[in-house]
C-alpha cells in the first residue's frame, strides 16, 4: 500500500499520518518530491484497513501495489496447479482439457443412467448432477438431496465416471465430499465464507464458480479462503456474469480465462450452459473457452431437455452434446492441447471410487 498525499499537504498532516502508522507498529518509508509526498507501508499493515485512511486530512489517495490474494496468486506459486486423481487423470497445467457433463439436477436413476451413458460413450470422464439445488424460487424443484447423491454414486461406478455435485451448506461438506470426486460451490455461494472455510478442511477438489456479480479479484479471494484453510485443490469455473445484455441469461466472460491464467496458477474451466442460458449458444462458447486456453468445460445435458426439472432451456440433447465433443476435439488438436477423451470399452467393472491426492 502507498499513501499519496495531496500536492502541498502540510508537514503537520504528513507527520500525523506517519505518527499514526508507527504508533500501530507499522513500518513506513517517506518519499518526498518537490510538490508531493508518498508514504509507503513496508511489510505488514498489522490488520489496519489502510484503505480507510483515504479520508484522512491531507491524503489524496491510497493505492494498493500488491494483490490481496497470496496463495492463489501466480506470483507466490509460478507453476500451474494440477489437480490429480488416483487413476492419473489430471486437470490443469498442460494436461488434456476435460469435459464435465450431466443434468442440471439429478431427477431419477433412469435419467441419470441414460445421461451418464451418453457422456461416457462420447469419451467424457466427469459426470455432473445437482442433488442439492440452489433455486431462485423456494417453490421450484430443490433436488433429491442424499438420494440423488446415492444415484450419482451408483451410476458413476457403472460407467467409470468421476462425480461433480454441489454443496450448499457447511454442515454437508464432509458427507458430500465422500460422495463426490469434485465438490461444486455454486455461483450464489461464492462468498459464503463459512462454506468456503469448511471446504478448506478437506482435500477433495473444489470447483468454485464465479459469482454472477463478482469481479475476478473477488473470485480469487474466495479461492484464497479455501486454500488458506489447507485445501490446495481448487478449480475455478467461469459461469457467466450479469450484464445489461438481455439476449442471454448471463454473459460468458471468456476473457476471464486468460486473465485468471495470468493472475493465478489454478485450473480454470468454463460453464457455457449457465454462461448463456440457451442451448443454441453452448457449443460456440465451449469452443471459444477451449480456444482461449480453458482447462475444460462443464455443460448441462439431459435426455429430454423440454421435460427437465431445472435448466432445460440450456441443456444439450445427447446429439448436440456429441456434436460439441467432436468440435472440441478438433479445436484441441488444432491448438496442440488435446481433449481428454477415453473410449468406452463397455466394461462396467466396479472400481472403488478413486481418492484424490493434493498436488
Ligand atoms: C448448476 O451448476 O446447476 C448451478 C446452479 O450453477 P450456478 O451456481 O452457476 O448457477
Ligand atoms: Mn443448472
Amino acid at each position: 500500500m502507498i499513501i499519496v498525499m495531496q500536492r502541498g499537504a502540510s508537514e503537520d498532516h504528513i507527520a500525523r499520518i506517519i505518527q499514526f502508522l508507527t504508533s500501530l507498529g507499522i513500518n513506513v518509508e517517506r518519499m518526498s518530491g518537490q510538490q508531493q509526498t508518498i508514504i509507503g507501508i513496508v511489510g505488514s499493515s498489522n490488520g489496519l484497513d489502510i484503505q480507510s485512511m483515504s479520508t484522512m486530512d491531507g491524503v489524496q489517495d491510497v493505492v494498493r501495489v500488491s494483490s490481496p490474494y497470496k496463495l492463489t496468486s501466480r506470483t507466490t506459486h509460478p507453476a500451474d496447479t494440477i489437480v490429480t486423481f488416483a487413476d492419473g487423470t489430471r486437470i490443469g497445467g498442460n494436461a488434456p482439457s476435460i469435459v464435465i457433463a450431466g443434468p442440471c439436477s439429478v431427477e431419477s436413476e433412469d435419467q441419470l443412467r441414460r445421461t451418464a451413458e451418453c457422456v461416457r460413450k462420447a469419451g467424457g470422464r466427469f459426470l455432473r448432477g445437482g442433488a442439492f439445488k440452489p433455486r431462485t424460487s423456494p417453490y421450484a424443484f430443490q433436488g433429491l438431496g442424499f438420494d440423488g447423491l446415492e444415484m450419482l454414486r451408483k451410476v458413476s461406478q457403472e460407467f467409470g465416471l468421476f462425480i461433480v455435485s454441489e454443496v450448499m451448506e457447511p454442515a454437508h461438506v464432509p458427507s458430500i465430499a465422500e460422495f463426490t470426486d469434485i465438490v461444486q460451490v455454486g455461483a450464489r455461494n461464492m462468498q459464503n465464507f463459512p462454506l468456503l472455510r469448511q471446504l478448506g478442511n478437506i482435500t477433495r477438489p473444489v470447483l468454485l464458480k464465479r459469482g454472477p456479480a463478482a469481479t475476478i479479484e473477488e473470485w480469487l479471494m474466495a479461492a484464497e479462503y479455501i486454500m488458506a484453510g489447507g485445501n490446495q485443490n481448487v478449480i475455478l469455473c467461469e459461469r457467466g456474469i450479469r450484464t445489461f445484455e438481455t439476449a442471454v441469461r448471463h454473459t460468458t466472460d471468456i476473457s476471464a480465462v486468460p486473465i485468471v491464467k495470468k493472475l493465478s496458477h489454478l485450473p480454470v474451466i468454463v460453464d457455457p450452459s449457465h454462461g448463456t442460458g440457451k442451448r443454441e449458444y453452448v457449443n460456440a462458447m465451449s469452443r471459444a473457452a477451449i480456444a482461449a486456453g480453458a482447462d475444460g468445460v462443464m455443460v448441462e445435458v439431459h435426455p429430454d431437455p423440454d421435460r427437465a426439472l431445472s435448466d432445460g432451456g440450456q441443456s444439450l440433447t445427447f446429439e448436440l452434446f456429441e456434436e460439441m465433443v467432436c468440435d472440441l476435439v478438433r479445436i484441441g488438436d488444432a491448438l496442440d492441447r488435446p481433449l481428454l477423451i477415453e473410449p468406452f470399452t463397455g466394461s462396467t467393472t466396479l472400481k472403488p471410487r478413486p481418492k484424490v491426492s493434493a498436488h
Side-chain angles (χ1 to χ4, degrees):
M1 286 282 189
I2 53 173
I3 298 165
V4 182
M5 301 302 291
Q6 287 164 357
R7 271 169 197 273
S10 71
E11 262 311 310
D12 190 35
H13 283 152
I14 297 169
R16 257 195 273 162
I17 298 279
I18 292 176
Q19 209 237 329
F20 174 67
L21 290 166
T22 49
S23 72
L24 293 168
I26 298 167
N27 294 323
V28 298
E29 197 166 309
R30 173 178 174 163
M31 290 153 273
S32 292
Q34 291 248 310
Q35 298 181 34
Q36 218 166 357
T37 293
I38 286 172
I39 300 164
I41 310 291
V42 184
S44 164
S45 58
N46 288 350
L48 180 75
D49 179 9
I50 309 280
Q51 209 76 51
S52 68
M53 293 181 71
S54 60
T55 54
M56 287 174 80
D57 287 343
V59 174
Q60 180 186 300
D61 208 357
V62 175
V63 183
R64 218 179 47 211
V65 286
S66 61
S67 69
Y69 46 87
K70 305 287 173 218
L71 300 170
T72 55
S73 167
R74 207 179 263 289
T75 314
T76 42
H77 188 299
D80 287 322
T81 281
I82 301 176
V83 173
T84 308
F85 298 82
D87 73 344
T89 301
R90 297 176 304 145
I91 302 179
N94 58 5
S97 39
I98 54 119
V99 175
I100 302 173
C104 176
S105 303
V106 177
E107 297 168 5
S108 69
E109 203 172 303
D110 176 63
Q111 169 240 23
L112 194 62
R113 183 170 289 109
R114 286 166 65 197
T115 313
E117 186 179 21
C118 160
V119 172
R120 193 67 188 87
K121 281 190 170 158
R125 293 299 319 279
F126 294 86
L127 177 67
R128 63 148 286 150
F132 291 92
K133 296 301 303 175
R135 304 304 301 278
T136 303
S137 163
Y139 310 116
F141 177 60
Q142 303 287 310
L144 297 179
F146 285 102
D147 289 345
L149 288 170
E150 288 289 359
M151 291 174 194
L152 276 166
R153 170 145 66 185
K154 192 168 165 197
V155 167
S156 71
Q157 287 194 5
E158 287 171 25
F159 293 97
L161 289 160
F162 295 107
I163 304 172
V164 184
S165 199
E166 176 160 355
V167 64
M168 285 171 38
E169 292 183 39
H172 284 167
V173 166
S175 45
I176 294 187
E178 274 308 302
F179 273 100
T180 57
D181 300 285
I182 300 179
V183 185
Q184 176 178 323
V185 176
R188 294 161 183 82
N189 273 317
M190 189 203 83
Q191 284 186 319
N192 179 340
F193 302 117
L195 182 65
L196 300 177
R197 277 204 201 89
Q198 275 297 329
L199 290 160
N201 296 329
I202 60 169
T203 52
R204 277 270 180 265
V206 176
L207 182 80
L208 178 65
K209 288 197 160 193
R210 178 181 183 180
T215 63
I216 288 174
E217 186 174 295
E218 286 163 340
W219 189 18
L220 292 174
M221 289 304 286
E224 188 84 6
Y225 265 86
I226 302 170
M227 295 188 77
N231 187 352
Q232 311 306 304
N233 287 312
V234 180
I235 302 160
L236 299 165
C237 177
E238 165 61 50
R239 48 77 72 205
I241 50 175
R242 190 166 279 187
T243 68
F244 51 81
E245 185 53 71
T246 54
V248 278
R249 185 179 178 194
H250 295 99
T251 296
T252 316
D253 183 7
I254 296 289
S255 68
V257 174
I259 296 170
V260 166
K261 287 269 169 198
K262 178 180 166 190
L263 299 175
S264 177
H265 50 87
L266 295 173
V268 56
I269 70 164
V270 174
D271 167 356
S273 300
H274 294 88
T276 61
K278 295 191 180 176
R279 166 183 324 127
E280 63 184 302
Y281 306 130
V282 170
N283 187 337
M285 288 296 99
S286 284
R287 296 195 308 259
I290 295 297
D295 296 296
V297 293
M298 176 158 88
V299 294
E300 290 183 334
V301 184
H302 195 284
D304 187 358
D306 291 344
R307 288 195 174 74
L309 296 183
S310 59
D311 287 348
Q314 65 193 33
S315 298
L316 297 175
T317 59
F318 292 172
E319 212 180 354
L320 288 173
F321 174 67
E322 282 156 23
E323 210 173 281
M324 183 198 82
V325 171
C326 290
D327 287 354
L328 297 187
V329 166
R330 285 159 62 205
I331 300 267
D333 287 347
L335 295 173
D336 282 336
R337 184 168 180 205
L339 198 71
L340 178 73
I341 287 295
E342 229 169 74
F344 181 51
T345 57
S347 148
T348 57
T349 353
L350 296 190
K351 283 201 226 128
R353 267 184 351 91
K355 289 264 177 296
V356 162
S357 69
H359 182 81

